[in-house]
Every structure is written in structure tokens, then in C-alpha cells.
Amino acid sequence: MVPEEEIQEISIQIPKTDKPRLVIIGGGFAGLRLIKKLANENLQVVVLDRHNYHTFQPLLYQVATAGLEPGSIAGPLRKFMEEKEDYHFRLAKVTKINPEKKTVSTPVGDLSYDYLVIACGSKTNYFGKDKEFKDALPIKQIPQALNLRSHILQNFEKAVNTKDTYELQSLLNIVIVGGGPTGVEVAGAFGELKDHVLPKDYPELNFKQMNIYLVEGLPHLLNGMSKTASRKAHKYLKDFNVNILLNTMVDSYNGKTVRLSSGEELPSQTLIWAAGVTGNIIPGLPDDCIEKSQYIVDEFNQVKGFDDVFAVGDIALMKTKKNPKGFPMLAPVAIQQGENLADNIKAIINGSKKLSPFRYTNKGYMATVGRNRAVVDMPNGLSFGGFSAWTAWMFVHLLYLIGFRNKLVVLNNWIWNYFTYDKGIRLIIRPFDKQEKRKQQEAEL
Ligand SMILES: Cc1cc2nc3c(=O)[nH]c(=O)nc-3n(C[C@H](O)[C@H](O)[C@H](O)COP(=O)(O)OP(=O)(O)OC[C@H]3O[C@@H](n4cnc5c(N)ncnc54)[C@H](O)[C@@H]3O)c2cc1C
């Protein structure tokens, strides 16, 4: 308990200090790297996050498809602050930044800062059609992945009692929007469930009737990766009988029927939105430092027009000669920017004017498509697929996963799933509720 006299008169109660206060919004990949690297500096560090945990988003799709428990891809943020002096965490969603007062506002009160790092990531992009796709299921946060898992299982439970042909078809069909890495990985995981797991659980159903559709607006999958990777991923998904619809957009969705730009209509009560993300801007900073829903930053991650406000990771738009459109929204970019900014913040508080510009080390790109298959584009231009790519994919994901316990749990699950073909987490723990999901979605917007 902090003694009353040591608490400042601000709504979020943080002990008084003579040190400069650094407030970090978001404990994602970028925020976490800052938390780790700034320990023992002459700073008070306050981390604000709307969740009390860090999420390893690259494995969210495995939670959604019953491959992993949510706890194995998350880490409690307070744990990362243990034994760090003058580190504080508050569970709070920042709703406004007030640069003139140097404070941030949250539903539990305001908090002042000397330095502010915005590391609040991105949110699902419905390309301005949020209302039209209110019944689509996004896959950006753990609660959303759990929604998807429950929803699919609930649909199969309904399907066994359904005689109406259209209703039955709509309960079985799964439509995935977006043929990027997430869409491809989700489609592969459902292909595997359909082939190996669901027929054993639901012998009453004819899984030949179940169709998985992957809808992509461009002429190929995995835009941003090599042609080889795109071609291989296409073939792997075809082997799972995934229906790949290229050059096709999803026009509308009423919860039961998906209407495509080709005029075709697909009966489906499951529309998974993996069509992309956009910056998660917090109101308050002037419009001229925002472009395409990201904060414009210089090569030191300093937000345009401010020397005490920084943005890192998905929310930062850093245009350089080599990357005139900015860096891709990827975990390695966020981690490396967090790392570089931590060094620069140390330099600033130690009175040095010499800051290091951010230099990105490309670690390559990868996506997995069910068991034994993945595609990898190496930084040197080499591309490969198949089993070796799949083992590389597993190794990299285990390496980056937060915490030794999580690595062990995930590895155990993968080994078990591999040898038994049994994704053991087909549990409806918290039934999916459409109304509840809409509320969550509105909260994210
Ligand atoms: C499904 C999926 C799969 C992906 N797969 C890969 C992959 O395979 N490889 C790869 O490199 N990248 C992948 N990415 C992208 C990668 O996860 C992001 O680039 C990375 O998470 C960005 O890190 P960040 O720190 O900027 O933001 P995040 O990691 O998103 O962290 C943002 C944090 O801010 C918090 N927050 C947000 N708004 C507020 C607010 N207003 N107030 C307080 N807290 C807030 C959030 O709760 C979160 O903890 C994937 C993303 C998704 C969604």
C-alpha cells in the first residue's frame, strides 16, 4: 500500500518520484521490449494497457482453431515488472492524449508524463464498412480467438440437430476473407480440422458437405511474399480442398449469407475477417502528425512536432529512402524499434544529444499451411517450402514466444497434436454470444 502523502494528486495513483516519468501505452511487442531494456535507468516507468497481458498474435489462429490454450500465447504484464525498481502497471485503456497538459486520459483517470511512448498497435480494418461486416469474426485479440473457437463448435452442435438444407450448409461452411499470412494459416488449420478431427467428433455429419472458402481481392495469395511462396501456399491449400477465390471481394454479409463481388452467394454463419489491420490511433495529437491511421515519426521514432512523444511498432509510420511507404506491420519491426528507442531514451535522460537512427534487419517472412507444410522467404531472396519450412516456422515461433513455460506448453501441444491428430482443446468454455461480440467490437473501434 502506497502511503497517502506519497501519492500525487492525479487520478491514476502512482508513487511520487523525482525521476522523469515515462508512460508507455501498450505492452505488445514494442512496449515489452522497452519494458525489458529500460530497467534500472533513472526513470519512473508506467505501462498502461487495456489488457493485463501481452499477446503473441502470430499464434492467435491456433487458439481459434482449438490447437492451443489462450494462456500459452499470453504473458501477464505485471510479471515483466517484477523486481524492477519504480516500474508500475495500470490496467487502463488510454482514450485521449493531451499534449498541451502532458497527460493521458483513461476511464480510471488521467496521468501526467515527461516522456510518452505510444505502442498501442493496430486494429482490424474493415475498410470503412464496419457496420456492413458487424457479424464478421475478427482475429486480433485473445477474446476474439476464443469467440471464434466457441462459435465454430456451437455451429457443429447445432448442425447435428438441423434438417433444413440451407441452414445446415450455412452452419458447416467457413468463409475466410483475406489471403495474407493470417488467412492462409487459418484456412490450413481448418483444412486439417476438417480432415482429421471433426469427422471423429461428429460422426452424424457428412464433412464432404463442409466447404472452406478463402476469398482474396488480389490475383494471388500471400501478397508481399515471393511468387514461389504464393504458388506453394496455393497448392498446399488446394490439397486440403480449400476453395480459393482470387480477384474476388466480399461485398456484404447478413450473418447467414456472404455476397461476393462476382455475384455469387455463399451460405455461411462463419465469416472470418483476416483482411488486414490499420493503426489504432488514440485521439488528441494534431492531425498533421497522422497519416493513414498511423503517427508520422522520424527515424528516431519521435512523433512529428514533438520531442517528448514517441510512437513504435504498428502505430508508427516511419518513411525512409529504402522504405518510402513505411515498414510492414510485423513483430520484428516492433521489437527492433522498441530496442532502438530504449537506447535513445537512455541517451536522452543521460543528457546526450546523439541519438541512433532506426535500422531494420529483415528476418524474412513465413507462413504455415497445416501440418508439415509452410513457406519461407529468406532475407537473401531464397524461398523454400514443405517440411523444412515448417520446422523453421515452428522453431522461430517458439524462439519469439514469451516465457519459458509458454514455450514448453506450446511445444508439448504441438508434439501431442502431431502424433495423435487430436486437437484437444475443442471446448465451449464461454459460449459465443453475438451481442457480447458486437460490444467487444465496438470497444475496439
Ligand atoms: C492474427 C495475427 C497474426 C500475426 N502474425 C504475425 C507473424 O506471423 N509474424 C509477424 O512478424 N507479425 C505477425 N503479426 C503482426 C504482429 O503481431 C504485429 O506487427 C505486432 O504485434 C506489433 O507490435 P506492437 O507492439 O506495435 O503492437 P501490439 O503487439 O498489437 O501491442 C499493442 C498493445 O497495446 C494495447 N493497447 C491498444 N490500444 C490501447 C489503448 N488505447 N490503451 C491501452 N492499451 C492499448 C494492446 O492491448 C496491446 O497489448 C500478426 C498479427 C495478427 C493480428
Side-chain angles (χ1 to χ4, degrees):
M1 184 79 181
V2 180
E4 195 67 19
E5 63 280 7
E6 286 187 19
I7 292 175
Q8 286 186 340
E9 283 184 2
I10 50 174
S11 306
I12 292 188
Q13 308 220 332
I14 304 288
K16 269 185 184 168
T17 177
D18 294 332
K19 300 177 198 166
R21 176 183 292 157
L22 170 73
V23 173
I24 302 173
I25 308 173
F29 282 97
L32 204 56
R33 193 46 61 130
L34 279 153
I35 294 171
K36 286 183 177 166
K37 274 206 85 174
L38 285 173
N40 307 322
E41 292 301 321
N42 184 32
L43 270 177
Q44 180 180 63
V45 177
V46 184
V47 180
L48 305 173
D49 200 296
R50 62 185 171 186
H51 297 137
N52 77 335
Y53 51 84
H54 164 86
T55 305
F56 189 78
Q57 293 174 26
L59 289 179
L60 269 175
Y61 84 94
Q62 294 210 0
V63 173
T65 53
L68 292 173
E69 277 291 5
S72 60
I73 65 155
L77 285 169
R78 282 183 181 273
K79 178 151 181 60
F80 302 109
M81 321 225 169
E82 277 171 10
E83 289 165 28
K84 292 193 173 72
E85 207 190 310
D86 222 354
Y87 262 62
H88 309 272
F89 172 76
R90 293 294 179 269
L91 180 64
K93 177 176 175 176
V94 177
T95 48
K96 193 155 184 249
I97 300 168
N98 314 298
E100 63 297 337
K101 288 193 279 177
K102 291 185 67 138
T103 63
V104 294
S105 302
T106 80
V108 291
D110 289 6
L111 180 68
S112 64
Y113 62 79
D114 295 297
Y115 300 103
L116 177 69
V117 177
I118 311 169
C120 58
S122 52
K123 61 180 185 181
T124 307
N125 190 0
Y126 295 96
F127 303 96
K129 289 185 149 189
D130 308 65
K131 287 213 175 100
E132 285 88 330
F133 292 113
K134 63 184 183 312
D135 288 320
L137 292 153
I139 183 171
K140 182 77 182 73
Q141 301 177 19
I142 287 179
Q144 295 170 343
L146 288 174
N147 279 348
L148 184 51
R149 181 177 91 182
S150 296
H151 172 74
I152 301 273
L153 296 172
Q154 284 166 242
N155 279 356
F156 287 121
E157 295 299 337
K158 270 192 219 159
V160 294
N161 291 320
T162 302
K163 285 214 172 89
D164 180 281
T165 327
Y166 192 88
E167 178 74 5
L168 179 65
Q169 192 61 70
S170 72
L171 287 166
L172 295 180
N173 283 353
I174 291 174
V175 181
I176 302 151
V177 192
T182 301
V184 164
E185 291 184 341
V186 172
F190 277 117
E192 207 179 314
L193 274 176
K194 180 188 164 191
D195 281 4
H196 301 296
V197 182
L198 295 171
K200 282 190 243 155
D201 273 12
Y202 301 94
E204 307 92 326
L205 296 174
N206 174 9
F207 279 91
K208 288 202 178 102
Q209 285 181 355
M210 176 185 175
N211 299 301
I212 303 166
Y213 297 92
L214 180 59
V215 185
E216 167 56 50
L218 294 171
H220 48 259
L221 297 176
L222 296 179
N223 182 41
M225 288 186 73
S226 65
K227 279 190 184 146
T228 313
S230 168
R231 212 178 46 241
K232 283 194 160 105
H234 195 111
K235 183 195 169 298
Y236 297 157
L237 286 177
K238 278 283 171 201
D239 292 345
F240 277 125
N241 290 316
V242 172
N243 302 287
I244 302 170
L245 309 176
L246 300 173
N247 295 308
T248 308
M249 309 285 279
V250 173
D251 268 357
S252 64
Y253 182 51
N254 63 8
K256 287 218 168 160
T257 307
V258 183
R259 187 165 303 195
L260 303 175
S261 54
S262 57
E264 198 182 344
E265 290 190 348
L266 307 172
S268 177
Q269 297 194 29
T270 308
L271 179 72
I272 302 172
W273 198 266
V277 291
T278 182
N280 186 15
I281 290 288
I282 298 171
L285 295 188
D287 287 349
D288 70 350
C289 65
I290 299 168
E291 189 180 319
K292 289 186 196 151
S293 296
Q294 285 177 302
Y295 295 109
I296 303 167
V297 296
D298 62 16
E299 52 187 353
F300 310 108
N301 284 95
Q302 237 154 358
V303 173
K304 186 179 166 192
F306 294 90
D307 54 13
D308 51 1
V309 182
F310 305 84
V312 266
D314 282 4
I315 193 65
L317 176 63
M318 185 191 287
K319 294 183 186 173
T320 60
K321 265 191 192 152
K322 252 182 151 181
N323 289 281
K325 289 185 182 165
F327 291 94
M329 289 184 177
L330 287 173
V333 175
I335 292 169
Q336 291 175 35
Q337 286 190 349
E339 187 114 10
N340 190 60
L341 179 58
D343 288 337
N344 283 337
I345 288 176
K346 282 183 206 172
I348 292 170
I349 57 168
N350 290 323
S352 164
K353 294 229 157 56
K354 205 171 170 320
L355 304 184
S356 320
F358 174 67
R359 297 284 175 259
Y360 179 53
T361 310
N362 178 6
K363 304 259 178 175
Y365 302 93
M366 46 177 54
T368 181
V369 195
R371 65 172 48 219
N372 291 342
R373 288 155 174 208
V375 287
V376 173
D377 283 346
M378 304 270 283
N380 61 6
L382 201 80
S383 248
F384 62 104
F387 186 73
S388 52
W390 185 64
T391 44
W393 179 90
M394 283 196 296
F395 176 76
V396 168
H397 282 72
L398 280 179
L399 192 74
Y400 280 95
L401 193 62
I402 306 298
F404 182 69
R405 180 192 163 275
N406 284 355
K407 291 182 206 285
L408 211 63
V409 173
V410 168
L411 182 64
N412 267 337
N413 266 276
W414 285 349
I415 293 171
W416 177 261
N417 293 347
Y418 189 79
F419 288 108
T420 61
Y421 281 89
D422 181 27
K423 297 200 174 201
I425 309 159
R426 303 186 301 282
L427 312 170
I428 307 169
I429 301 281
R430 189 203 57 175
F432 174 71
D433 173 346
K434 236 182 200 173
Q435 300 305 328
E436 188 52 39
K437 177 238 152 196
R438 283 189 191 153
K439 271 193 236 153
Q440 276 175 19
Q441 198 153 312
E442 276 159 20
E444 197 205 350
L445 293 174

